[in-house]
Amino acid sequence: MNELILIVEDEADLVQSLEYNLQQQGYDTRVALDGQSALEALDEKRPALVVLDLMLPDMSGLEVCRWIRNEETMRATPVLILTARGEEIDRITGFEAGADDYVVKPFCVDELMLRVRAILRRSQVESQELHADKMQIGDLFIDFAAHRVRVGEKEVELTPLEYQLLKVLVIRRGRTQSREVLLRDVWDIEAEVMTRTVDTHMQRLRAKLEQCGEWIATVRGVGYRFEAEEP
Ligand code: CA
């Protein structure tokens, strides 16, 4: 079955071009011309990806994006934002909206198709790894089924929280995770005043992972990232 892509955009020409090109690439498409129809379409069927314009007639694309991120069954759906130059990129990809990627209008269709494929590939790898039993990165071995972690031959004793933190970082490796996102996905709280907590636990996790702790990079002013390549 083809993957379904929901296009949320009100410019008819652009919708037509997106539909045509995505279908040419073998995707199924569905179109919503405003935010309300987008929410209805999402409620009906979870797409593999949402291509979302920021400027919609009835609401902001950011609102649609936030709705997706707050909906338990929808949360993991990748979102690619279409934005006019000058709009705030930090807000789009940051904690506020949590989009996966964006392209600036006017864009070339080939570029958009590349992004679509990259996001879908990444999201497939993530969902496979979410269900994987074991993983090895350098000297780091994680047995997801048994909740066990080794560095080389040495067993690492992690608290359930540290384990969860490591798992989230590893599965999303190569991508920066803000402290706010980590609080939401690891601690399950949404309090911006508690970001220091993340730092404290990260420090402990790093120390326990010994040489493998170097895989976790600090992204100044933002959060952390598990490196995709050997550091
Ligand atoms: Ca628009």
Side-chain angles (χ1 to χ4, degrees):
M1 216 174 69
N2 295 337
E3 287 171 299
L4 175 68
I5 298 182
L6 175 65
I7 304 165
V8 188
E9 168 64 79
D10 57 319
E11 287 166 52
D13 292 355
L14 188 49
V15 168
Q16 210 173 7
S17 147
L18 287 173
E19 267 198 297
Y20 174 79
N21 284 284
L22 288 167
Q23 286 171 6
Q24 285 284 313
Q25 299 289 323
Y27 300 113
D28 285 342
T29 55
R30 182 163 180 184
V31 175
L33 297 172
D34 54 46
Q36 193 52 43
S37 327
L39 298 186
E40 283 162 19
L42 285 162
D43 247 346
E44 221 167 274
K45 189 163 190 241
R46 182 182 183 277
L49 170 73
V50 183
V51 176
L52 176 63
D53 181 33
L54 272 197
M55 298 278 282
L56 299 168
D58 56 342
M59 63 176 87
S60 154
L62 285 177
E63 283 176 64
V64 177
C65 199
R66 274 198 295 268
W67 184 87
I68 292 171
R69 289 293 171 258
N70 288 328
E71 202 66 16
E72 192 65 42
T73 55
M74 210 55 73
R75 188 171 272 188
T77 311
V79 177
L80 173 63
I81 296 264
L82 310 178
T83 171
R85 195 171 293 278
E87 281 169 307
E88 294 163 74
I89 303 309
D90 292 352
R91 292 178 61 208
I92 297 172
T93 54
F95 181 59
E96 197 179 328
D100 292 78
D101 205 353
Y102 64 91
V103 288
V104 176
K105 288 177 174 181
F107 51 83
C108 101
V109 175
D110 290 345
E111 169 66 16
L112 184 99
M113 291 300 141
L114 284 178
R115 302 285 186 96
V116 165
R117 272 199 295 276
I119 295 175
L120 286 172
R121 206 180 313 122
R122 204 162 68 194
S123 121
Q124 270 167 3
V125 168
E126 276 183 22
S127 75
Q128 276 162 12
E129 289 186 344
L130 267 177
H131 298 105
D133 285 348
K134 292 188 174 113
M135 193 186 282
Q136 182 189 351
I137 302 166
D139 287 337
L140 180 66
F141 299 86
I142 307 175
D143 183 335
F144 291 114
H147 284 224
R148 285 168 71 180
V149 176
R150 275 192 296 123
V151 171
E153 292 302 310
K154 200 176 141 197
E155 192 90 21
V156 182
E157 294 290 336
L158 297 180
T159 64
L161 203 107
E162 287 164 350
Y163 172 78
Q164 199 53 37
L165 189 54
L166 176 65
K167 185 177 170 182
V168 164
L169 286 172
V170 161
I171 285 173
R172 302 174 186 171
R173 65 186 175 280
R175 285 192 287 152
T176 300
Q177 303 299 310
S178 70
R179 291 177 177 85
E180 289 83 1
V181 164
L182 290 171
L183 278 173
R184 184 192 70 198
D185 293 350
V186 178
W187 278 259
D188 206 17
I189 46 176
E190 309 217 358
E192 291 181 38
V193 290
M194 295 192 61
T195 51
R196 284 286 305 166
T197 309
V198 179
D199 299 335
T200 312
H201 286 267
M202 195 67 77
Q203 215 171 335
R204 260 183 246 146
L205 174 62
R206 264 194 189 132
K208 286 187 181 179
L209 295 178
E210 300 183 5
Q211 70 269 27
C212 293
E214 289 174 25
W215 284 86
I216 303 174
T218 303
V219 183
R220 200 175 290 275
V222 183
Y224 298 91
R225 179 181 62 234
F226 202 99
E227 300 289 14
E229 307 284 335
E230 193 150 358

